[in-house]
Amino acid sequence: MKILVCVTSVPDTTTKIAFTDNNTKLNKAGVTFITGPYDDYALARAVELKEKTGASITVINVGEADSEPVIRKCLAIGADDAIRVNAEPTDAYFVAEQIAAIAKENSYDLILMGRESIDYNGGQVHGIVGEMLGFPSISPVMQLDIDGDTAKITREIEGGKEQLEAKLPLVLGCQEPIAEWKIPNMRGIMTARTKPLKIVEPTGTDKLTTVANYELPAPRGAVKMIKADEAETLIQLLRTEAKVI
């Protein structure tokens, strides 16, 4: 079985975000980048499937050269090789098109990725990739087992969980608790340096969307403390200031 794991390089969740170029680009100065947390779950489950079935794992990232440390970490965790499409990943359709082009060339049985990236939070790429390839696309996947050419899947739905079975090939968007995050050991870090990392140029259409501008959320307002025995005051403030009742 051949598995393709799609990963994003995103700012660390503790990063203080700032913008540049008239608020149209992220200011990367001093920013630490990590693998998208949901992509980490996808990779961890792929590694578990590799250990169980002998599958091969290719990691793909649509990103510029500064994403390569993230890719090398994925190789250290257990991926066999990696592909970096040399382009800025700002448009979901464009990113999906790059992934689909690589998938068509290499005939993967299973394509895993996070349910969404934590920078744009679009949650669109897995669905678009599935449509481009003519594969079923399922998200968000919480449990995955493979039995021959059949995937047994649990996914989250509103108010509960849904049990599914689907034939390979598939595109899946993953989330916890599909697997435990994996930390690369020293041997993995050393071998990752010699694993193949292929860099390819983007293909297909130009990006369909551009950023007009970014805005930071409004700062939190002051908090008013109301004594427990002053319910009427609280109700009045909720009605006149918060305007929620």
Side-chain angles (χ1 to χ4, degrees), residues 219-242:
R220 292 182 179 179
V223 176
K224 290 186 177 181
M225 303 297 293
I226 309 299
K227 294 181 180 179
D229 59 355
E230 295 182 2
E232 291 184 4
T233 302
L234 174 60
I235 293 170
Q236 182 66 19
L237 290 172
L238 290 173
R239 180 178 290 121
T240 60
E241 292 193 12

Side-chain angles (χ1 to χ4, degrees), residues 113-127:
M113 63 187 77
R115 72 175 194 186
E116 63 184 8
S117 63
I118 63 165
D119 48 6
Y120 291 96
N121 297 100
Q124 302 175 65
V125 173
H126 43 75

Side-chain angles (χ1 to χ4, degrees), residues 1-18:
M1 181 168 62
K2 296 174 64 177
I3 303 174
L4 180 66
V5 180
C6 313
V7 300
T8 54
S9 176
V10 298
D12 188 280
T13 52
T14 60
T15 298
K16 186 175 181 180
I17 297 297

Side-chain angles (χ1 to χ4, degrees), residues 90-139:
T90 57
D91 178 90
Y93 186 92
F94 175 81
V95 170
E97 194 170 35
Q98 309 313 310
I99 295 169
I102 296 296
K104 287 176 181 177
E105 290 178 4
N106 296 280
S107 301
Y108 295 101
D109 302 292
L110 184 61
I111 301 175
L112 302 179
M113 63 187 77
R115 72 175 194 186
E116 63 184 8
S117 63
I118 63 165
D119 48 6
Y120 291 96
N121 297 100
Q124 302 175 65
V125 173
H126 43 75
I128 301 173
V129 170
E131 178 66 21
M132 289 179 170
L133 296 174
F135 295 173
S137 174
I138 302 170
S139 181

Side-chain angles (χ1 to χ4, degrees), residues 191-211:
T191 56
R193 298 177 180 178
T194 59
K195 288 182 178 179
L197 170 52
K198 183 180 179 181
I199 300 170
V200 300
E201 293 303 315
T203 61
T205 60
D206 293 332
K207 298 170 187 176
L208 302 181
T209 58
T210 57
V211 175

